[in-house]
Amino acid sequence: MLYFLATTSLTLVQVGAALTTAGLLALPAGPLVGGLVDRYGAKPVLQAANLAQALGFAGYLVVGQTWQIAVCAWLNSAGRAVFFSCYGVTVTALAAPGQRERWFALLGAVRNLGYALGGLLTAVAVSFSTHSAYTAIVVVNALSYLTAFVLMRAVPNSRPEVGQDAAGGWGRVLRDLRFLAVVAHQLCFAVSLFALNIAIPVYAVDVLGLPGWTAGAVFTLNTLMVGFAQGAIVGWLNGRIRSRVLVAGHACFAVGYLLFLAADRVAALALAVGVVLLGAISYTFGEIVGGPITSTVAAESAPDALRGRYLALNQLAVSVAGAVAPAALSGLLSTRAAAIWLTLIGVSVLAATLATTIGKVMPAAQSRIGGV
């Protein structure tokens, strides 16, 4: 948003409309390539996603009209959706059973550290507030995707073995009611994840009137906890039943939301900041505990021959949450403090119920972390 406002003559509304349109048009991208992953393997599709995002960011350098932004942003949004649809297929193929939670945790931690580093570098660049600084941000992003493309060349292509049964295609996926419960759980989990960037900073600064650095502190605390603690915590959970760990993760989310709500009742500024940070810690434990297990359960619940389609549908839940969350959460924030946090507590309760359900019907959710 800042880049387009600084480098084009478009208004905030025009830029927002272009980015929203791009995000909505990108929703079908993941499911559409699910069949390609099952047929040709995940690696070529991942490579295409990296190239699409490199091209999208390169296009930002020359755009000047709303439709041009929408096209380039669509390449980025679609590429991101495709990447995460294939990502779980690749991890599942390369990681041995019993080690997948650890690998999903490690990769999630590395990704969070990447977010932190990217955010820091971007903040430094934006502080100069020059056209060259904004251009540098976009160029580095484009080059990062080209680097990812090169790195992925060393990764073997994961594709179903010859003779595996892929009969039924998408019809078989959509008729699998047990996996649809997994997708519904993923949707609820994703809604909670989007609260970090959409609801919590605005609530802390605009609703509670806390210092602006509070929002940055929450994000930094979350990023560092996930980046440095996720692997160790998942290792500590070794031997626990997956579905029960998921329920515990949603309980951590709910406690965090209760603390955010309680902060609205605290008069002392310093104490309110402390309560918000405690809420952020509890919230982050929910993310740390739930993220790798959610990914592992979804990946192992899918048959090998149709894993591309299954995980594409699961990723669609994340994309839908990402499209709906900004409007839904900002709308709740505009009413009163209780509305958003009680709603999110309800989402956590629903997610915990779904986790219990899939723990009864899905062998992958009934298994213990680490396969012990």
Side-chain angles (χ1 to χ4, degrees), residues 19-40:
L19 295 178
T20 299
T21 300
L24 292 174
L25 292 176
L27 287 179
L32 285 176
V33 301
L36 297 177
V37 173
D38 291 330
R39 176 173 296 183
Y40 301 109

Side-chain angles (χ1 to χ4, degrees), residues 140-157:
V140 169
N141 270 290
L143 291 175
S144 73
Y145 285 110
L146 291 177
T147 303
F149 177 87
V150 173
L151 290 172
M152 282 297 298
R153 294 177 63 184
V155 176
N157 188 25

Side-chain angles (χ1 to χ4, degrees), residues 19-34 45-46 48-54 56-57 60 69-86 145 315 319:
L19 295 178
T20 299
T21 300
L24 292 174
L25 292 176
L27 287 179
L32 285 176
V33 301
V45 183
L46 279 171
N50 283 326
L51 288 179
Q53 291 173 93
F57 272 102
Y60 285 174
I69 293 177
V71 170
C72 292
W74 176 81
L75 283 171
N76 286 327
S77 297
R80 184 167 56 250
V82 169
F83 175 86
F84 281 108
S85 295
C86 305
Y145 285 110
Q315 179 60 31
S319 299

Side-chain angles (χ1 to χ4, degrees), residues 3 57-58 61 132-146:
Y3 171 79
F57 272 102
L61 297 173
S132 298
Y134 282 107
T135 299
I137 295 171
V138 172
V139 170
V140 169
N141 270 290
L143 291 175
S144 73
Y145 285 110
L146 291 177

Side-chain angles (χ1 to χ4, degrees), residues 113-135:
L113 291 175
Y115 290 153
L117 178 60
L120 177 62
L121 293 176
T122 300
V124 172
V126 169
S127 67
F128 290 100
S129 194
T130 64
H131 191 283
S132 298
Y134 282 107
T135 299

